[in-house]
Structures are given as C-alpha cells and as structure tokens.
Amino acid sequence: MALILDGKALSAKIRESLKEEVAALAAGGTVPGLAVVLVGDDPASKIYVNNKKKGCKKLGIHSEEYLLAASITQRELLELVDMLNKKPDIDGVLVQLPLPGHIDERAVIRAIAPDKDVDAFHPENVGRMVAGDPLFLPCTPAGVMELLREAGVSPAGKECVVVGRSNIVGKPQAMLLLHEHGTVTICHSKTKNLAEVCARADILVAAVGKPRLITAGMVKEGAVVIDVGMNRLPDGSLCGDVDFDAVEPKASCITPVPGGVGPMTITMLLKNTVKAAALRAKKKGR
Ligand code: NDP
C-alpha cells in the first residue's frame, strides 16, 4: 500500500508557522497584504479567490478583492495593477487566470511589480527561478516539492517524468526537480510512447487536465506519483489525472485528489505573500 501524501495536513502545519511569522511582522508594524483581482464570473475562479481570501483571514493577512466585469478594458485592468503595485499596504498582487480573450494575459503578468508577483509568473521571476536564484517560487510546483520533502523523497539521481508543459505547472515543475538533481523528462500532447516514458519514472508528476489519463500500466512498481490534475466530472465530483484506485497499489507514495497538491498551492501563495511582506519590513528597517 502506498503512503498517501496528505496535502491538507502538511498545509495546516506550514500555515501554523506562517501564522506566527505574520504575528511577528504585524507586531513590528507590517501587516502582510494580498490583493486578488478577478475579471468576470467564472465559477471555478470564484471558488479559488474565495479560498485565497479565507486562507489570508485565518493567518491574519490583510486581503483585498477586486471583482471586475468581464467587459473591463485591458487599459483599465493595467491601471488597477499599477495602483496595486504602488499601494503601500499591499505586498502581493495576484490576477486570477484565465482572463477574457480580449485581454492580453502576458501584458498583465508583465505589469505586476516583480517584488509583488506572488504567483511568480512575471518573466523576471521565471528567469530568476530558472537561474536558481528565485525571489518567489511558483505555487503549485513549490507545493509539490514540499510534499516530496515531507515524505523524505529526494529527486537526486532519480528519473523524474513531468506530464504537461504549461508555464504555470509543467515547465517550472521540471525546473524545480532539476534543481534538486533529478534527471527530468517533460512530456506533452505530442510525446510518442507516453506510457513507456512514464513507466521509467521514479517520480511521476501528472499536470495534464485529463481525468485518469495515467493508468496502472504507465506506472513503475514503487514509483512516487504526484497528481496535480483537478478535473470536474459531469456528476460534479473532482478527479485527478491519475487513476488513483488502480495506481495506488503499485506506487510507494501518491497524492489524492482532492487533498493532495490542491491545498499546497494556496499555502505556497500565502508563504510568498509573507515573504514579500518580510522584504518590505526589511526595507523599512533600513
Ligand atoms: P494546461 O492545459 O495549460 O496544460 C496541460 C498540459 O498537458 C499541456 O502541456 C498539454 O500538452 C499536456 N497534455 C494534454 N493532453 C495530453 C496527453 N494526452 N498526453 C500528454 N500530455 C498532454 O494545464 P495546466 O498546466 O494549467 O493544469 C494541468 C492540470 O492541473 C489541470 O487539471 C488543472 O486544473 C490542474 N491544476 C491544479 C492546480 C492545483 O493547485 N492542484 C494548480 C494548477 C493547475 P501541449 O502543451 O502539447 O498542449
């Protein structure tokens, strides 16, 4: 039977220590602040934004929500980002993706001040992460690394296969595994013999968005299996990219969906916000 990597429990542990950091910062006159911008009324995005707000409140982080109509112009959105960049009580600025088609996502990401870019999507933060000199780490891949660390799994010298190459998950995940000395392969929709490549993995990370794509036949005996996927099924239930019931008996460690990677993502966002506030406090102290 595989060890179940409990993202909820690890999140709770990390959030406890963040709560202490927030209290110490607040006592010194710096209350961490996060601004979340949501454009349009996508139900899934609304849930994420709400969870972020709740997470902030529990830790004592000040949070502000900016709910904008889907019809907002790119210029108006960029003006709001500029205002938040300058707002002294805001340490983190997050624009919930995806944005409506008429808005250039890249332009919006580039407009966020790198030292408030707690999602770590700005090219400067991406570059720093790739160069091994990160200011902030991207939340989902960083959460996966924390789960591995907690389970005592070191990627060093291991065959690591990441399925998915998005800028948000797959690519940065591969880079973080590489920095931990894994031998990394990145797969995508054009990969040939996906099953064979996956079956080589000592650590397999699925970040695809296809319910139960990873079947037992694609997993090596004893592999560590991380499921980033969050797929809503027609019956409303949540399902990962891994066929959990079939894969679990073969794996040495596996993340459940829900309760694995998901809770870690918001925890890493809170961690980045606290870090940004600590940097502000340090600047003030000078
Ligand atoms: P994207 O849609 O941006 O990327 C999906 C990737 O999967 C692409 O690189 C695509 O390849 C690849 N892919 C698609 N089909 C196949 C296939 N049949 N075989 C191999 N590769 C394939 O998704 P994201 O990276 O944003 O998210 C991935 C999943 O993770 C989603 O379910 C999302 O909901 C979830 N997620 C979960 C988070 C969490 O906190 N747990 C946070 C972020 C995302 P190609 O590039 O060739 O198109």
Side-chain angles (χ1 to χ4, degrees):
M1 249 193 31
L3 171 70
I4 307 295
L5 305 181
D6 185 343
K8 255 179 141 174
L10 180 56
S11 275
K13 193 165 114 181
I14 297 171
R15 288 188 200 198
E16 266 319 300
S17 87
L18 286 175
K19 202 171 169 180
E20 285 170 23
E21 264 185 76
V22 171
L25 280 166
T30 305
V31 176
L34 175 69
V36 180
V37 179
L38 176 62
V39 182
D41 52 8
D42 175 57
S45 294
K46 270 190 174 164
I47 294 172
Y48 297 144
V49 167
N50 234 340
N51 287 342
K52 286 166 188 171
K53 190 166 95 181
K54 274 196 247 165
C56 283
K57 198 166 176 209
K58 282 197 182 143
L59 260 56
I61 295 175
H62 163 71
S63 77
E64 294 178 4
E65 246 181 340
Y66 294 84
L67 306 177
L68 310 172
S71 58
I72 191 170
T73 65
Q74 178 160 321
R75 204 171 127 204
E76 286 168 319
L77 181 56
L78 291 175
E79 278 167 8
L80 172 64
V81 169
D82 186 49
M83 185 277 282
L84 294 170
N85 283 344
K86 293 176 181 145
K87 204 164 183 282
D89 59 344
I90 288 298
D91 298 292
V93 177
L94 182 157
V95 179
Q96 186 68 46
L97 304 179
L99 291 170
H102 67 282
I103 295 178
D104 177 359
E105 263 179 24
R106 289 181 194 204
V108 175
I109 289 170
R110 275 198 305 269
I112 297 171
D115 61 352
K116 293 194 178 189
D117 170 39
V118 285
D119 257 340
F121 295 162
H122 188 285
E124 184 174 319
N125 284 321
V126 175
R128 287 188 64 166
M129 185 267 301
V130 172
D133 173 32
L135 177 60
F136 302 115
L137 289 176
C139 302
T140 301
V144 168
M145 299 312 284
E146 293 275 355
L147 281 166
L148 293 176
R149 214 167 289 133
E150 178 74 3
V153 175
S154 164
K158 305 245 169 71
E159 288 280 347
C160 304
V161 174
V162 179
V163 190
R165 58 171 164 181
S166 71
N167 288 333
I168 293 172
V169 191
K171 280 187 213 165
Q173 187 67 72
M175 204 46 69
L176 296 188
L177 288 163
L178 178 66
H179 288 162
E180 295 287 329
H181 316 295
T183 303
V184 183
T185 305
I186 309 175
C187 301
H188 45 78
S189 65
K190 307 285 186 292
T191 296
K192 289 196 177 125
N193 306 324
L194 180 68
E196 264 170 49
V197 180
C198 289
R200 290 205 305 257
D202 301 308
I203 299 175
L204 178 63
V205 181
V208 185
K210 295 252 149 63
R212 302 191 188 102
L213 176 81
I214 307 294
T215 57
M218 300 164 83
V219 175
K220 182 162 89 174
E221 200 71 47
V224 173
V225 181
I226 305 287
D227 191 352
V228 179
M230 289 209 298
N231 309 295
R232 193 63 69 185
L233 296 180
D235 68 0
S237 64
L238 206 58
C239 158
D241 290 344
V242 175
D243 184 354
F244 184 91
D245 291 342
V247 169
E248 187 269 334
K250 282 184 99 175
S252 58
C253 305
I254 189 166
T255 57
V257 176
V261 176
M264 294 301 294
T265 296
I266 295 186
T267 300
M268 294 299 105
L269 171 73
L270 300 171
K271 186 175 172 180
N272 282 346
T273 304
V274 174
K275 183 174 184 186
L279 292 172
R280 168 160 67 101
K282 208 168 152 192
K283 272 190 206 154
K284 266 199 299 192
R286 270 195 205 134

